[in-house]
Amino acid sequence: MSMDLEELAAKAYVYGFPLVFNLEQVRRYVTTGVGSNPAAPFNQFSHAATLAGPQDTFVSINNDTVYSMCQLDLTNGPLLLDVPDTAGAYYVLQFVDAWTDNFAYIGKRATGTARGRYLLAPSGWAGEVPEGVTAVSVPTAVASIVGRWACDGAADLPRVRGLQQQLTLTPLGNQEPAPGLPQPDPAVPEALAFWEQLRVYLQAYPPAARDLPLQQAFAPLGLLDAGVSPYRAAEDDLVAALTAGAKAGHDGIVAALKSGAGDAVVNGWHQPFHVFDYNDDFFEIGTIDSPEWRIADRTKAIGLRAAAAMGGLWGNHGYEAAYSPVYLDGDGDELTGERSYTLTFTQTPPVDAFWSLTMYDVPDYYLVANEIDRYSIGDRTPGLVYGEDGSLVLTLSATPPADAASRANWLPTPAGGFRPLLRMYGPREGVFDGTYTIPPIVKA
């Protein structure tokens, strides 16, 4: 077996992982749905009726907002998007292409909360944009709209439901039904399924122009072959290289994720505020095209893109919502439900919208069932007990605390290892310039 071929396969795995992983989630949404979001065909919104819970097996899903999801297929032409007036309430529609680039935002931060009309057009479309409509160019034929509506618990759901019903997509002109995702060859052995998916998707969804030379280098792996799949009856050498390369690539992504892939780490909290900055090519409405939100090193960007997909698929740019995960306590020990912890905010996170701390298991980063059905805690949690000086002490433990104040401020953990994630929606500059520090999680 050629080590060169194995190294090339490892590189191709990291390059292609976000595309394959992402489009498998897209396929889930249009076929079976995900948790609270029922399945909906391409170009139709799927609205969750509740906040996410443990039934929503999606990596690092949030419990702050109600989701409205749409999988776009613009193969047959543009769509008109109508958004409602939210009367000042926070919401965001995040637009993600097939490669997981966040290429546009519509919502409170980006466009305000008034009613609006947008034309979602496939890349290179040269038709006429209707009057009073803002055009948004979509880089790949298939893309996702990840809609999040701020929701203050069950009593607020009817308001959110009313807004969801006013969110509409209409084809521009007469269009055939969308064809959807191309199908990988079912005759390919399971061991090479990833590579077959990647081969088919590379043809359907070309990358940014800058990445084409890199993609061409993967020709020896069979990834550029059109027509009959080269993986139906691949040579033993190629199978061995692809299998070993996939394992090496996957292990590399996992290791980068656990190490924080170059994040600043303060008091154990990773600060991957720039982990979604790998988009360096597509800046539509609501994105910030400036050096501090771009990654000049393309190799680093491609590695980050893979880690971001695995650990937080469809996460926002830091300027929309800043995410900070933590794996270790203040002593550097792994967090576990075998112990109890406290987290003391002398100053709560500085935000224009709201903040929350959400509890996830490891290694899946799913929400975990608990006896009080509380999956996150934050500035909108009813009944929190603050100190006289305005400080807030949260308790993180698998079993309920004894005293009432601690119970009011309790975020249940799983019995085993866990990873909390702090989200700051509409983060202020202090979050990024280091003047605000997240305190350590301390053993009780």
Side-chain angles (χ1 to χ4, degrees), residues 295-376:
I295 297 169
D297 180 339
R298 193 63 189 154
T299 302
K300 180 185 175 187
I302 286 169
L304 268 179
R305 182 174 70 183
M310 185 182 283
L313 187 68
W314 300 347
N316 289 292
H317 273 101
Y319 49 76
E320 182 69 46
Y323 309 110
S324 194
V326 61
Y327 300 84
L328 307 175
D329 65 21
D331 297 328
D333 297 323
E334 291 206 354
L335 295 167
T336 170
E338 294 168 12
R339 295 196 185 96
S340 295
Y341 304 89
T342 57
L343 174 61
T344 303
F345 289 108
T346 50
Q347 181 202 348
T348 55
V351 292
D352 288 326
F354 56 94
W355 68 268
S356 70
L357 182 70
T358 309
M359 182 61 61
Y360 298 98
D361 67 6
V362 290
D364 295 321
Y365 310 125
Y366 292 164
L367 300 176
V368 184
N370 64 73
E371 64 185 70
I372 61 170
D373 287 332
R374 179 181 280 178
Y375 310 106
S376 64

Side-chain angles (χ1 to χ4, degrees), residues 73-88:
D73 184 350
L74 304 181
T75 302
N76 295 330
L79 302 169
L80 277 168
L81 169 69
D82 282 276
V83 302
D85 186 337
T86 68

Side-chain angles (χ1 to χ4, degrees), residues 7-17 194-195 198 218 221 223:
E7 284 175 7
L8 190 65
K11 197 171 179 180
Y13 186 92
V14 172
Y15 172 76
F17 175 82
F194 170 88
W195 299 103
L198 182 54
F218 301 138
L221 302 172
L223 285 172

Side-chain angles (χ1 to χ4, degrees), residues 148-424:
R148 301 172 177 90
W149 312 91
C151 180
D152 293 343
D156 195 28
L157 284 167
R159 176 190 66 84
V160 172
R161 188 77 188 140
L163 293 171
Q164 288 176 319
Q165 288 164 348
Q166 298 174 65
L167 186 65
T168 62
L169 274 170
T170 318
L172 188 67
N174 293 323
Q175 292 183 21
E176 293 291 312
L181 296 171
Q183 291 295 334
D185 186 335
V188 170
E190 179 61 31
L192 298 181
F194 170 88
W195 299 103
E196 172 61 7
Q197 288 171 300
L198 182 54
R199 181 188 75 88
V200 171
Y201 295 155
L202 288 179
Q203 291 170 38
Y205 312 110
R210 74 174 65 225
D211 291 341
L212 279 169
L214 173 59
Q215 194 164 295
Q216 293 296 324
F218 301 138
L221 302 172
L223 285 172
L224 306 186
D225 291 18
V228 177
S229 174
Y231 307 125
R232 277 184 165 204
E235 298 284 339
D236 290 349
D237 279 6
L238 181 60
V239 173
L242 291 172
T243 305
K247 184 181 187 311
H250 193 272
D251 289 351
I253 298 169
V254 171
L257 200 57
K258 289 208 85 167
S259 71
D263 303 340
V265 181
V266 179
N267 291 331
W269 295 88
H270 290 260
Q271 304 194 333
F273 302 147
H274 295 281
V275 73
F276 295 102
D277 293 4
Y278 48 78
N279 170 26
D280 202 31
D281 299 275
F282 309 111
F283 294 92
E284 294 292 311
I285 192 167
T287 53
I288 296 177
D289 179 5
S290 66
E292 68 269 30
W293 296 106
R294 300 176 76 148
I295 297 169
D297 180 339
R298 193 63 189 154
T299 302
K300 180 185 175 187
I302 286 169
L304 268 179
R305 182 174 70 183
M310 185 182 283
L313 187 68
W314 300 347
N316 289 292
H317 273 101
Y319 49 76
E320 182 69 46
Y323 309 110
S324 194
V326 61
Y327 300 84
L328 307 175
D329 65 21
D331 297 328
D333 297 323
E334 291 206 354
L335 295 167
T336 170
E338 294 168 12
R339 295 196 185 96
S340 295
Y341 304 89
T342 57
L343 174 61
T344 303
F345 289 108
T346 50
Q347 181 202 348
T348 55
V351 292
D352 288 326
F354 56 94
W355 68 268
S356 70
L357 182 70
T358 309
M359 182 61 61
Y360 298 98
D361 67 6
V362 290
D364 295 321
Y365 310 125
Y366 292 164
L367 300 176
V368 184
N370 64 73
E371 64 185 70
I372 61 170
D373 287 332
R374 179 181 280 178
Y375 310 106
S376 64
I377 197 165
D379 56 3
R380 300 167 308 141
T381 303
L384 287 185
V385 178
Y386 290 82
E388 287 179 12
D389 58 357
S391 63
L392 180 66
V393 181
L394 304 180
T395 297
L396 281 57
S397 61
T399 52
D403 65 291
S406 297
R407 267 201 310 279
N409 296 0
W410 177 41
L411 181 60
T413 75
F418 62 87
R419 183 209 69 173
L421 181 64
L422 181 68
R423 286 182 172 88
M424 295 167 275

